[in-house]
Amino acid sequence: MNARPPLVLTVAGSDSGGGAGIQADLKTMLALGVHGMSVVTAVTAQNSRGVHGVWELPEEAVRAQYRAVVDDIGVHAVKTGMLATAPLVETVAELLAGTDAPVVVDPVGVSKHGDPLLAATALESVRTRLLPAATVATPNLDEVTQLTGIVVEDEDGMRRAADAVLGYGPRWALIKGGHLPGDAAEVVDLLTDGTDEHWLYAPRHDNRHTHGTGCTLASAVASGLAKGLPVPKAVREAKAYVTGALAAGFALGEGIGPVDHGWERRR
């Protein structure tokens, strides 16, 4: 009998264009050698130009999917993405509280095109219910502002943002600096648990096709944790994978194309 790979569960929305959400998560997990499983929280009508419609699933449908997977198959790490509403955030937080596995929370607030993916009424539930369940929280700078009110303009601001996010209870905060103002040749992220700081630098690629970057990074971190890697190593390996996927991002449709989840194989 073949040995099974590590098991990773994504709890997120579906992206019909295939660049982000559940689709990006499962592609990332396959590329990184883990078995991906899914709980769909919402269905979006989405393409390279934006999000054209969102339909949240009922809480009982989300709970049933989660229980079906975890109670029978088990899980070594969980990644959360688009949760859309306060009831869904609270439902997922309750499920995570009863699961003995590391959790990566990507507090998805808006799409790459600027479309809202989280109701304003859900922000407090993210702060008080979801973030305390996180092993690693992975907000970008726009999501940092949504959650904390802090507008980050430099690396010192990233440190203040990390402290604020950690105040909500995750063990580690990964502040993604890809949206920092300016034309720096490198992209910097900050990973910290409030004591240890890890500044992660990577070259900035001149490529507009970046749809799915956040989903991909969070899923890559969860894949590393499922393999038993410590958080700093899981994050470093995830950033290396995403950097390659960003460099290989390709045009799709008339708008912003996706990162290339299969870049290592095609290289």
Side-chain angles (χ1 to χ4, degrees):
M1 180 181 296
N2 294 327
R4 73 177 186 182
L7 308 172
V8 184
L9 176 62
T10 170
V11 183
S14 168
D15 172 3
S16 54
I22 289 282
Q23 288 81 353
D25 298 338
L26 294 176
K27 291 174 188 178
T28 299
M29 293 168 190
L30 178 64
L32 296 179
V34 302
H35 176 69
M37 306 170 291
S38 63
V39 171
V40 179
T41 60
V43 174
T44 70
Q46 189 171 168
N47 57 24
S48 68
R49 291 177 294 175
V51 178
H52 303 279
V54 177
W55 297 266
E56 298 89 8
L57 268 68
E59 298 154 55
E60 58 267 29
V62 170
R63 186 178 291 107
Q65 290 176 83
Y66 191 100
R67 291 263 62 94
V69 171
V70 173
D71 294 348
D72 174 51
I73 301 171
V75 66
H76 296 118
V78 182
K79 176 259 179 182
T80 72
M82 175 187 176
L83 300 182
T85 67
L88 285 179
V89 171
E90 291 167 11
T91 295
V92 171
E94 176 187 328
L95 291 164
L96 294 173
T99 304
D100 185 17
V103 176
V104 179
V105 169
D106 184 16
V108 175
V110 295
S111 76
K112 182 66 68 178
H113 308 87
D115 301 294
L117 298 175
L118 181 71
T121 53
L123 281 171
E124 190 61 20
S125 295
V126 171
R127 296 182 190 107
T128 61
R129 298 291 304 278
L130 190 63
L131 288 176
T135 307
V136 186
T138 66
N140 63 30
L141 299 188
D142 293 332
E143 290 155 355
V144 163
T145 302
Q146 270 191 318
L147 291 167
T148 70
I150 295 173
V151 177
V152 178
E153 297 181 338
D154 52 28
E155 291 185 11
D156 187 60
M158 292 177 69
R159 185 178 283 116
R160 288 187 290 109
D163 288 343
V165 171
L166 288 171
Y168 294 122
R171 285 174 47 202
W172 292 82
L174 174 60
I175 308 300
K176 299 177 294 190
H179 295 169
L180 276 177
D183 297 315
E186 290 185 308
V187 178
V188 60
D189 300 333
L190 169 61
L191 172 70
T192 180
D193 63 354
T195 302
D196 295 329
E197 284 189 355
H198 304 265
W199 292 93
L200 310 173
Y201 294 89
R204 184 183 297 275
H205 295 287
D206 184 19
N207 184 356
R208 66 187 291 262
H209 300 301
T210 58
H211 184 51
T213 307
C215 304
T216 300
L217 179 63
S219 294
V221 173
S223 297
L225 296 178
K227 295 174 183 178
L229 300 180
V231 169
K233 184 171 178 58
V235 170
R236 286 187 183 280
E237 292 193 2
K239 185 170 175 69
Y241 169 74
V242 170
T243 299
L246 276 164
F250 53 86
L252 198 69
E254 299 177 358
I256 299 173
V259 302
D260 185 356
H261 298 95
W263 68 272
E264 290 180 297
R265 180 173 298 177
R266 277 189 274 277
R267 183 180 62 175

